[in-house]
């Protein structure tokens, strides 16, 4: 949006730095521009906008998520956050959720070249993929599956559907999830709570151990 607006270089840097400050605090930032179309009705302008300002939205991490992430890590489960958010926003959320204190953040556009260079051990350190498209989310799933990992994907939107289908286990959100996400998933969470996934895995492992003992 800043590139579409008539701004001086100093103003462009100011607004870019301000957006970066908001993003570093884990906030999602939208820039808004406007233009009077009365002079050229029916056209779709690509430049000449005036910047109206920034909208910063806070999406707080749910209570109990950090504890659930710690339980998952203790159980040998790797958690990777794949999002379309700004990389600084994604890194801040990853820190807040306990996914990684200094997360390795990969941009979606750099994903193919980066995954090709990463060893199996390096994939184990993968924590955050930002600015990811639906197709790029699938690339992450496929890269992890090639190493022999069992991959589960959680999601709620139409843009998550390809990755939900590509995963070994697709887990859709039942409350805020779209119909498309629910239909392609193997499991639908009725409470949209990450802790429920961790609890279900624990119960499943306990059941498996009980069956082995019985046999």
């Amino acid at each position: 949006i800043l590139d579409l607006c008539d701004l001086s270089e100093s103003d462009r840097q100011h607004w870019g730095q301000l957006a970066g400050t908001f993003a570093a605090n884990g906030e999602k930032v939208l820039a808004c521009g406007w233009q009077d179309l009365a002079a050229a009705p029916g056209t779709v302008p690509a430049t000449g906008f005036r910047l109206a300002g920034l909208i910063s939205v806070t999406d707080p991490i749910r209570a109990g998520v950090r504890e659930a992430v710690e339980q998952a890590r203790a159980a040998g489960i790797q958690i990777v956050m794949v999002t379309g958010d700004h990389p600084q926003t994604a890194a801040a959320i990853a820190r807040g959720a306990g996914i990684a204190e200094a997360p390795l953040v990969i941009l979606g556009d750099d994903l193919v070249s980066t995954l090709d260079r990463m060893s199996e051990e390096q994939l184990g350190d993968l924590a955050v993929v930002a600015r990811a498209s639906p197709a790029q989310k699938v690339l992450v799933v496929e890269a992890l599956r090639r190493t022999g990992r069992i991959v589960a994907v959680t999601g709620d939107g139409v843009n998550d559907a390809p990755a939900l289908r590509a995963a070994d286990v697709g887990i859709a959100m039942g409350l805020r999830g779209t119909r498309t996400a629910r239909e392609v998933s193997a499991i639908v969470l009725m409470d949209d709570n990450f802790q429920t996934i961790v609890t279900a895995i624990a119960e499943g492992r306990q059941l498996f151990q009980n069956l082995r003992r019985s046999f």
Side-chain angles (χ1 to χ4, degrees):
I1 298 298
L2 296 181
D3 289 340
L4 300 179
C5 294
D6 290 335
L7 295 171
S8 66
E9 187 58 33
S10 60
D11 284 342
R12 196 181 308 278
Q13 291 180 359
H14 165 73
W15 288 105
Q17 290 172 356
L18 188 58
T21 300
F22 289 140
N25 292 328
E27 300 174 33
K28 300 184 179 184
V29 185
L30 298 175
C32 300
W34 67 277
Q35 185 175 154
D36 186 357
L37 301 181
T43 63
V44 182
T47 57
F49 285 85
R50 295 180 63 182
L51 183 67
L54 302 178
I55 298 175
S56 181
V57 181
T58 301
D59 187 9
I61 297 170
R62 282 190 176 192
V65 168
R66 190 178 183 91
E67 292 76 9
V69 168
E70 291 175 356
Q71 293 173 13
R73 185 176 291 109
I77 300 169
Q78 177 186 358
I79 298 175
V80 182
M81 186 174 73
V82 186
T83 176
D85 286 343
H86 187 284
Q88 288 180 281
T89 302
I93 293 173
R95 288 192 297 270
I99 295 174
E101 291 305 318
L104 170 64
V105 180
I106 298 175
L107 292 177
D109 289 343
D110 301 330
L111 199 58
V112 174
S113 59
T114 304
L115 290 176
D116 288 343
R117 296 195 306 268
M118 295 180 77
S119 64
E120 182 175 342
E121 182 178 352
Q122 289 172 323
L123 277 173
D125 295 327
L126 180 62
V128 179
V129 178
R131 294 291 194 213
S133 67
Q136 290 163 345
K137 293 179 181 182
V138 174
L139 291 178
V140 176
V141 174
E142 292 175 342
L144 293 171
R145 291 192 68 192
R146 282 196 297 270
T147 65
R149 290 172 169 85
I150 297 174
V151 180
V153 171
T154 67
D156 58 8
V158 174
N159 59 332
D160 296 318
L164 288 167
R165 181 180 287 276
D168 293 292
V169 183
I171 306 173
M173 303 295 109
L175 293 178
R176 67 177 184 273
T178 60
R179 180 176 178 180
T180 301
R182 296 196 301 269
E183 287 181 348
V184 301
S185 297
I187 298 172
V188 177
L189 291 182
M190 299 313 296
D191 60 1
D192 289 8
N193 193 332
F194 183 77
Q195 177 65 59
T196 302
I197 300 174
V198 178
T199 302
I201 292 172
E203 292 179 355
R205 288 183 176 183
Q206 184 63 58
L207 176 60
F208 182 65
Q209 290 297 327
N210 291 343
L211 287 172
R212 292 185 66 179
R213 292 191 187 97
S214 297
F215 283 114

